[in-house]
mmCIF file with all atom_site columns, all heavy atoms in Angstrom:
data_model
loop_
_atom_site.group_PDB
_atom_site.id
_atom_site.type_symbol
_atom_site.label_atom_id
_atom_site.label_alt_id
_atom_site.label_comp_id
_atom_site.label_asym_id
_atom_site.label_entity_id
_atom_site.label_seq_id
_atom_site.pdbx_PDB_ins_code
_atom_site.Cartn_x
_atom_site.Cartn_y
_atom_site.Cartn_z
_atom_site.occupancy
_atom_site.B_iso_or_equiv
_atom_site.pdbx_formal_charge
_atom_site.auth_seq_id
_atom_site.auth_comp_id
_atom_site.auth_asym_id
_atom_site.auth_atom_id
_atom_site.pdbx_PDB_model_num
ATOM 1  N N   . THR A 1 3  ? -14.496 -17.262 -53.477 1.00 76.00 ? 3  THR A N   1
ATOM 2  C CA  . THR A 1 3  ? -14.990 -16.111 -52.736 1.00 76.00 ? 3  THR A CA  1
ATOM 3  C C   . THR A 1 3  ? -15.558 -16.540 -51.436 1.00 76.00 ? 3  THR A C   1
ATOM 4  O O   . THR A 1 3  ? -15.363 -15.872 -50.395 1.00 76.00 ? 3  THR A O   1
ATOM 5  C CB  . THR A 1 3  ? -15.987 -15.307 -53.636 1.00 76.00 ? 3  THR A CB  1
ATOM 6  O OG1 . THR A 1 3  ? -15.416 -15.062 -54.861 1.00 76.00 ? 3  THR A OG1 1
ATOM 7  C CG2 . THR A 1 3  ? -16.462 -14.058 -52.955 1.00 76.00 ? 3  THR A CG2 1
ATOM 8  N N   . ILE A 1 4  ? -16.336 -17.635 -51.437 1.00 76.00 ? 4  ILE A N   1
ATOM 9  C CA  . ILE A 1 4  ? -16.963 -18.075 -50.201 1.00 76.00 ? 4  ILE A CA  1
ATOM 10 C C   . ILE A 1 4  ? -15.910 -18.516 -49.166 1.00 76.00 ? 4  ILE A C   1
ATOM 11 O O   . ILE A 1 4  ? -15.998 -18.248 -47.960 1.00 76.00 ? 4  ILE A O   1
ATOM 12 C CB  . ILE A 1 4  ? -17.962 -19.180 -50.494 1.00 76.00 ? 4  ILE A CB  1
ATOM 13 C CG1 . ILE A 1 4  ? -19.127 -18.693 -51.315 1.00 76.00 ? 4  ILE A CG1 1
ATOM 14 C CG2 . ILE A 1 4  ? -18.477 -19.846 -49.188 1.00 76.00 ? 4  ILE A CG2 1
ATOM 15 C CD1 . ILE A 1 4  ? -20.128 -19.713 -51.781 1.00 76.00 ? 4  ILE A CD1 1
ATOM 16 N N   . ARG A 1 5  ? -14.913 -19.251 -49.668 1.00 75.00 ? 5  ARG A N   1
ATOM 17 C CA  . ARG A 1 5  ? -13.774 -19.662 -48.791 1.00 75.00 ? 5  ARG A CA  1
ATOM 18 C C   . ARG A 1 5  ? -13.080 -18.442 -48.204 1.00 75.00 ? 5  ARG A C   1
ATOM 19 O O   . ARG A 1 5  ? -12.701 -18.481 -47.027 1.00 75.00 ? 5  ARG A O   1
ATOM 20 C CB  . ARG A 1 5  ? -12.802 -20.560 -49.563 1.00 75.00 ? 5  ARG A CB  1
ATOM 21 C CG  . ARG A 1 5  ? -13.273 -21.915 -49.737 1.00 75.00 ? 5  ARG A CG  1
ATOM 22 C CD  . ARG A 1 5  ? -12.188 -22.745 -50.393 1.00 75.00 ? 5  ARG A CD  1
ATOM 23 N NE  . ARG A 1 5  ? -12.668 -24.047 -50.831 1.00 75.00 ? 5  ARG A NE  1
ATOM 24 C CZ  . ARG A 1 5  ? -12.039 -24.867 -51.614 1.00 75.00 ? 5  ARG A CZ  1
ATOM 25 N NH1 . ARG A 1 5  ? -10.830 -24.509 -52.054 1.00 75.00 ? 5  ARG A NH1 1
ATOM 26 N NH2 . ARG A 1 5  ? -12.497 -26.050 -51.944 1.00 75.00 ? 5  ARG A NH2 1
ATOM 27 N N   . LEU A 1 6  ? -12.812 -17.455 -49.096 1.00 70.00 ? 6  LEU A N   1
ATOM 28 C CA  . LEU A 1 6  ? -12.074 -16.316 -48.581 1.00 70.00 ? 6  LEU A CA  1
ATOM 29 C C   . LEU A 1 6  ? -12.907 -15.520 -47.552 1.00 70.00 ? 6  LEU A C   1
ATOM 30 O O   . LEU A 1 6  ? -12.359 -15.169 -46.512 1.00 70.00 ? 6  LEU A O   1
ATOM 31 C CB  . LEU A 1 6  ? -11.807 -15.395 -49.783 1.00 70.00 ? 6  LEU A CB  1
ATOM 32 C CG  . LEU A 1 6  ? -11.015 -14.113 -49.455 1.00 70.00 ? 6  LEU A CG  1
ATOM 33 C CD1 . LEU A 1 6  ? -9.624  -14.467 -48.832 1.00 70.00 ? 6  LEU A CD1 1
ATOM 34 C CD2 . LEU A 1 6  ? -10.811 -13.275 -50.714 1.00 70.00 ? 6  LEU A CD2 1
ATOM 35 N N   . ILE A 1 7  ? -14.211 -15.387 -47.782 1.00 75.00 ? 7  ILE A N   1
ATOM 36 C CA  . ILE A 1 7  ? -15.075 -14.751 -46.822 1.00 75.00 ? 7  ILE A CA  1
ATOM 37 C C   . ILE A 1 7  ? -15.120 -15.498 -45.487 1.00 75.00 ? 7  ILE A C   1
ATOM 38 O O   . ILE A 1 7  ? -15.041 -14.948 -44.422 1.00 75.00 ? 7  ILE A O   1
ATOM 39 C CB  . ILE A 1 7  ? -16.507 -14.509 -47.399 1.00 75.00 ? 7  ILE A CB  1
ATOM 40 C CG1 . ILE A 1 7  ? -16.429 -13.486 -48.556 1.00 75.00 ? 7  ILE A CG1 1
ATOM 41 C CG2 . ILE A 1 7  ? -17.458 -14.042 -46.348 1.00 75.00 ? 7  ILE A CG2 1
ATOM 42 C CD1 . ILE A 1 7  ? -17.726 -13.363 -49.328 1.00 75.00 ? 7  ILE A CD1 1
ATOM 43 N N   . SER A 1 8  ? -15.291 -16.854 -45.582 1.00 74.00 ? 8  SER A N   1
ATOM 44 C CA  . SER A 1 8  ? -15.274 -17.672 -44.385 1.00 74.00 ? 8  SER A CA  1
ATOM 45 C C   . SER A 1 8  ? -14.017 -17.530 -43.662 1.00 74.00 ? 8  SER A C   1
ATOM 46 O O   . SER A 1 8  ? -13.973 -17.528 -42.393 1.00 74.00 ? 8  SER A O   1
ATOM 47 C CB  . SER A 1 8  ? -15.512 -19.155 -44.793 1.00 74.00 ? 8  SER A CB  1
ATOM 48 O OG  . SER A 1 8  ? -16.729 -19.283 -45.429 1.00 74.00 ? 8  SER A OG  1
ATOM 49 N N   . PHE A 1 9  ? -12.841 -17.542 -44.329 1.00 69.00 ? 9  PHE A N   1
ATOM 50 C CA  . PHE A 1 9  ? -11.559 -17.467 -43.648 1.00 69.00 ? 9  PHE A CA  1
ATOM 51 C C   . PHE A 1 9  ? -11.427 -16.137 -42.997 1.00 69.00 ? 9  PHE A C   1
ATOM 52 O O   . PHE A 1 9  ? -10.959 -16.042 -41.827 1.00 69.00 ? 9  PHE A O   1
ATOM 53 C CB  . PHE A 1 9  ? -10.445 -17.635 -44.745 1.00 69.00 ? 9  PHE A CB  1
ATOM 54 C CG  . PHE A 1 9  ? -9.098  -17.469 -44.188 1.00 69.00 ? 9  PHE A CG  1
ATOM 55 C CD1 . PHE A 1 9  ? -8.581  -18.493 -43.354 1.00 69.00 ? 9  PHE A CD1 1
ATOM 56 C CD2 . PHE A 1 9  ? -8.289  -16.353 -44.421 1.00 69.00 ? 9  PHE A CD2 1
ATOM 57 C CE1 . PHE A 1 9  ? -7.231  -18.336 -42.869 1.00 69.00 ? 9  PHE A CE1 1
ATOM 58 C CE2 . PHE A 1 9  ? -7.126  -16.163 -43.913 1.00 69.00 ? 9  PHE A CE2 1
ATOM 59 C CZ  . PHE A 1 9  ? -6.549  -17.194 -43.104 1.00 69.00 ? 9  PHE A CZ  1
ATOM 60 N N   . VAL A 1 10 ? -11.844 -15.071 -43.621 1.00 68.00 ? 10 VAL A N   1
ATOM 61 C CA  . VAL A 1 10 ? -11.744 -13.714 -43.072 1.00 68.00 ? 10 VAL A CA  1
ATOM 62 C C   . VAL A 1 10 ? -12.577 -13.576 -41.804 1.00 68.00 ? 10 VAL A C   1
ATOM 63 O O   . VAL A 1 10 ? -12.203 -13.084 -40.745 1.00 68.00 ? 10 VAL A O   1
ATOM 64 C CB  . VAL A 1 10 ? -12.067 -12.635 -44.064 1.00 68.00 ? 10 VAL A CB  1
ATOM 65 C CG1 . VAL A 1 10 ? -12.310 -11.253 -43.391 1.00 68.00 ? 10 VAL A CG1 1
ATOM 66 C CG2 . VAL A 1 10 ? -11.090 -12.527 -45.201 1.00 68.00 ? 10 VAL A CG2 1
ATOM 67 N N   . ILE A 1 11 ? -13.832 -14.157 -41.814 1.00 77.00 ? 11 ILE A N   1
ATOM 68 C CA  . ILE A 1 11 ? -14.739 -14.131 -40.680 1.00 77.00 ? 11 ILE A CA  1
ATOM 69 C C   . ILE A 1 11 ? -14.140 -14.931 -39.550 1.00 77.00 ? 11 ILE A C   1
ATOM 70 O O   . ILE A 1 11 ? -14.129 -14.464 -38.396 1.00 77.00 ? 11 ILE A O   1
ATOM 71 C CB  . ILE A 1 11 ? -16.151 -14.658 -41.090 1.00 77.00 ? 11 ILE A CB  1
ATOM 72 C CG1 . ILE A 1 11 ? -16.828 -13.687 -42.011 1.00 77.00 ? 11 ILE A CG1 1
ATOM 73 C CG2 . ILE A 1 11 ? -17.012 -14.911 -39.859 1.00 77.00 ? 11 ILE A CG2 1
ATOM 74 C CD1 . ILE A 1 11 ? -18.124 -14.154 -42.625 1.00 77.00 ? 11 ILE A CD1 1
ATOM 75 N N   . ALA A 1 12 ? -13.629 -16.133 -39.857 1.00 70.00 ? 12 ALA A N   1
ATOM 76 C CA  . ALA A 1 12 ? -13.082 -16.978 -38.789 1.00 70.00 ? 12 ALA A CA  1
ATOM 77 C C   . ALA A 1 12 ? -11.832 -16.320 -38.183 1.00 70.00 ? 12 ALA A C   1
ATOM 78 O O   . ALA A 1 12 ? -11.641 -16.314 -36.943 1.00 70.00 ? 12 ALA A O   1
ATOM 79 C CB  . ALA A 1 12 ? -12.661 -18.377 -39.405 1.00 70.00 ? 12 ALA A CB  1
ATOM 80 N N   . LEU A 1 13 ? -11.035 -15.716 -39.036 1.00 65.00 ? 13 LEU A N   1
ATOM 81 C CA  . LEU A 1 13 ? -9.812  -14.984 -38.533 1.00 65.00 ? 13 LEU A CA  1
ATOM 82 C C   . LEU A 1 13 ? -10.172 -13.825 -37.594 1.00 65.00 ? 13 LEU A C   1
ATOM 83 O O   . LEU A 1 13 ? -9.594  -13.599 -36.599 1.00 65.00 ? 13 LEU A O   1
ATOM 84 C CB  . LEU A 1 13 ? -9.016  -14.539 -39.699 1.00 65.00 ? 13 LEU A CB  1
ATOM 85 C CG  . LEU A 1 13 ? -7.535  -14.119 -39.426 1.00 65.00 ? 13 LEU A CG  1
ATOM 86 C CD1 . LEU A 1 13 ? -6.778  -15.367 -38.815 1.00 65.00 ? 13 LEU A CD1 1
ATOM 87 C CD2 . LEU A 1 13 ? -6.818  -13.800 -40.737 1.00 65.00 ? 13 LEU A CD2 1
#
Side-chain angles (χ1 to χ4, degrees):
T3 308
I4 293 174
R5 282 187 190 167
L6 181 61
I7 292 172
S8 300
F9 178 74
V10 169
I11 291 172
L13 197 58

